[in-house]
Amino acid sequence: DVVAAKCGITQADLEKTAKWWGAANNVLSLWSMGINQSSEGTAKVRHIINLHLMTRQIGRPGAGPFSLTGQPNAMGGRESGGLSHLLPGYRLIKNPTHRAEIEKFWDLPAGRISPTAGKHAWEMITGLETDAVGLMWIVATNPAVSMPDLERTKAALARSPFTVYQDAYYPTETSKYAHILLPAAQWSEKTGTMTNSERIVTFCPAFRSPPGSAKADWEIFAEVGRRLGFVKQFWFKDSADVYNEFAQLSRGRPCDVTGLSHQFLKHHGPTQWPHPVGCKAQYGKRLYTDLLFHHPDKRAQFAACHSKGLAEPPDPNYPFVLTTGRLYGHWHTLTRTGRIPKIQQMHPEPFLEIHPRDAAKLQIENGEWVEVRSRRGTGRFPALVTSAINRGTVFVPMHWGELWAKDAAANTFTHPEACPDSHQPELKACAVQLFPVKFIGLTSETSKSVQLIESQR
């Protein structure tokens, strides 16, 4: 009864779900940012994994917990060490053995790699506020739209003493904060690999030349490294060299790809890891069939966490929960899709989804403008009255920034409270007020937008 009340479901439905799970031969769980972008994101995921472990719904066909990541190469970024607390091959900076392995491979003096993790994204913003960050190098992202507590984020970016902005698109909302702009090649203009959520590595050859002086990101990093004096460390001639170094660093690790190279993938096609030297199979490498896990004792580890609820729950002053997310067609902050006429026609402008009962209570008609206020900011959206959203919750798409729509950036409202493990901010829930904004009539463009969204539903 406690769980049912917290989750807003009936006890009968909760018991029915448990019986379905218990009676099923195979259970596959899939989740994405709705779970992850939470102040309890890691705990939620670990409890999904708990359910699979306790019912042995893991390591079998058609079963297991499966994360649908928010980026096409998110797994590839993690396995190569692309987070502030990671080293290549799923090694941890805080692990002295892991640091020593990388120091030896890179021919660095013992102790050269710091045992302290770098700053995560929000710590960079607060570091700008306190002058603890003296240089910002932003690559392939648009924090002036995507970060939480957006007005605070933009004020911090404006304080940066030196910002390098490296991207394939210009202008973006972030580019105006840059002191130096570095043009980067986009995916079609550079050769590399991508690893998807099934651990399948795909070779992606360039099929056009970068425009102007644009370079692949790795080329920019390597050139800066050499100019700083690290010629020996940044010896790469092409992206195949970069991948070969990573493959060697993966030896003996869960993501062992020592048997892969650009040449192998080019001739054999997409291949699933682990794929050590001598491996014959390309696919079907199911993990945990032996029920041995990546811990020293090879046993799985359960997690026990008590839910604290939302970091910013609704209250009488801010009675609605605002959640954000993506729309089919648009990609992140419109840096690319905002410039494609066909997609602009699909989603011409932002909107606010609200349940019919909530709309009636506030006397908001479909298509009328609504002002949204949180403790951090204010914005205005045309209302889309729909039963697709729960009562008490409203939805705003996260794509639009100031280049594309006035007063419509979803992260104007969100707060920076984050999961203590993943440091992902709770972008999926913040408390807001709603106020109808009565206009004499709607613009034809707004009416058209609301009709288009309704027809797509």
Side-chain angles (χ1 to χ4, degrees):
D1 56 335
V2 173
V3 172
K6 280 195 171 186
C7 295
I9 59 176
T10 66
Q11 191 169 336
D13 282 345
L14 176 60
E15 291 173 353
K16 182 190 294 185
T17 304
K19 288 176 181 177
W20 281 350
W21 187 299
N25 291 323
N26 304 296
V27 179
L28 183 65
S29 298
L30 304 100
W31 70 91
S32 188
M33 298 299 102
I35 295 291
N36 298 341
Q37 290 177 348
S38 163
S39 58
E40 299 180 326
T42 302
K44 291 176 182 178
V45 172
R46 291 200 69 180
H47 278 267
I48 294 172
I49 295 170
N50 283 351
L51 278 171
H52 281 270
L53 288 172
M54 68 175 63
T55 56
R56 203 177 174 180
Q57 292 286 355
I58 197 166
R60 297 164 40 201
F66 196 83
S67 169
L68 300 173
T69 56
Q71 306 262 7
N73 195 33
M75 183 169 286
R78 294 186 191 108
E79 64 197 24
S80 58
L83 289 170
S84 63
H85 68 291
L86 293 181
L87 292 167
Y90 290 117
R91 293 177 175 90
L92 298 174
I93 281 178
K94 67 180 181 181
N95 186 313
T97 301
H98 291 176
R99 295 196 306 274
E101 290 170 352
I102 301 298
E103 287 166 347
K104 181 179 179 181
F105 184 92
W106 281 341
D107 194 23
L108 297 173
R112 183 67 174 270
I113 297 176
S114 171
T116 304
K119 295 183 183 299
H120 57 73
W122 187 249
E123 285 178 335
M124 296 181 198
I125 297 302
T126 57
L128 289 173
E129 293 176 334
T130 60
D131 299 325
V133 171
L135 182 148
M136 280 285 282
W137 190 350
I138 302 169
V139 182
T141 190
N142 193 11
V145 179
S146 62
M147 289 293 285
D149 200 350
L150 200 54
E151 293 306 312
R152 181 177 174 184
T153 293
K154 291 191 287 189
L157 291 172
R159 282 179 55 90
S160 174
F162 191 70
T163 296
V164 179
Y165 187 50
Q166 178 176 324
D167 209 328
Y169 306 105
Y170 179 86
T172 70
E173 286 82 356
T174 301
S175 61
K176 74 176 187 179
Y177 296 96
H179 299 91
I180 290 179
L181 296 170
L182 296 179
Q186 60 174 312
W187 66 275
S188 59
E189 300 159 354
K190 58 186 178 182
T191 295
T193 67
M194 297 182 71
T195 309
N196 72 4
S197 293
E198 287 187 280
R199 315 187 316 280
I200 291 176
V201 185
T202 299
F203 177 70
C204 305
F207 55 84
R208 55 176 290 175
S209 298
S213 57
K215 297 178 182 291
D217 291 309
W218 77 265
E219 291 183 272
I220 296 172
F221 298 145
E223 185 172 338
V224 170
R226 286 191 292 267
R227 293 190 185 196
L228 289 172
F230 297 96
V231 177
K232 179 182 176 182
Q233 287 82 0
F234 291 95
W235 57 273
F236 315 109
K237 299 185 297 296
D238 53 32
S239 57
D241 288 339
V242 179
Y243 189 81
N244 287 339
E245 177 175 293
F246 163 65
Q248 295 308 307
L249 283 166
S250 74
R251 188 182 305 277
R253 302 299 300 162
C255 57
D256 193 325
V257 290
T258 48
L260 299 183
S261 64
H262 280 195
Q263 195 69 15
F264 179 97
L265 294 167
K266 190 185 302 184
H267 290 288
H268 293 83
T271 302
Q272 192 175 37
W273 64 249
H275 195 93
V277 173
C279 181
K280 302 297 183 184
Q282 273 186 271
Y283 303 109
K285 304 181 186 74
R286 192 175 307 283
L287 300 181
Y288 311 123
T289 55
D290 54 4
L291 299 182
L292 299 178
F293 298 87
H294 295 296
H295 297 293
D297 61 2
K298 302 300 181 183
R299 302 182 68 177
Q301 293 183 2
F302 284 82
C305 308
H306 289 283
S307 176
K308 299 176 182 177
L310 298 179
E312 186 180 71
D315 60 32
N317 292 324
Y318 295 89
F320 290 91
V321 173
L322 180 139
T323 190
T324 69
R326 301 178 174 107
L327 300 176
Y328 172 74
H330 275 313
W331 168 250
H332 286 4
T333 62
L334 303 188
T335 49
R336 179 183 175 90
T337 58
R339 296 174 167 91
I340 300 174
K342 186 175 182 179
I343 295 179
Q344 286 180 320
Q345 293 172 10
M346 184 188 300
H347 300 301
E349 64 182 13
F351 54 89
L352 177 131
E353 286 187 351
I354 182 171
H355 190 274
R357 292 191 185 180
D358 292 332
K361 185 176 180 181
L362 295 172
Q363 297 183 321
I364 295 170
E365 299 291 334
N366 196 55
E368 286 187 336
W369 284 83
V370 181
E371 183 166 287
V372 183
R373 300 177 188 172
S374 78
R375 292 176 174 88
R376 291 155 295 279
T378 301
R380 291 185 174 186
F381 304 85
L384 174 60
V385 179
T386 172
S387 57
I389 194 80
N390 284 341
R391 289 185 67 186
T393 301
V394 293
F395 168 84
V396 168
M398 55 75 65
H399 309 286
W400 280 266
E402 61 187 31
L403 285 179
W404 306 98
K406 188 178 186 304
D407 298 328
N411 284 318
T412 298
F413 313 108
T414 56
H415 59 76
E417 295 301 316
C419 170
D421 298 302
S422 71
H423 302 298
Q424 286 206 59
E426 192 164 79
L427 299 177
K428 297 303 182 191
C430 65
V432 297
Q433 307 166 325
L434 302 180
F435 300 92
V437 179
K438 299 295 184 179
F439 288 117
I440 295 174
L442 293 173
T443 65
S444 59
E445 185 64 29
T446 300
S447 300
K448 176 182 169 186
S449 300
V450 172
Q451 291 168 6
L452 183 61
I453 294 164
E454 287 181 312
S455 68
Q456 289 170 348
R457 287 199 171 279

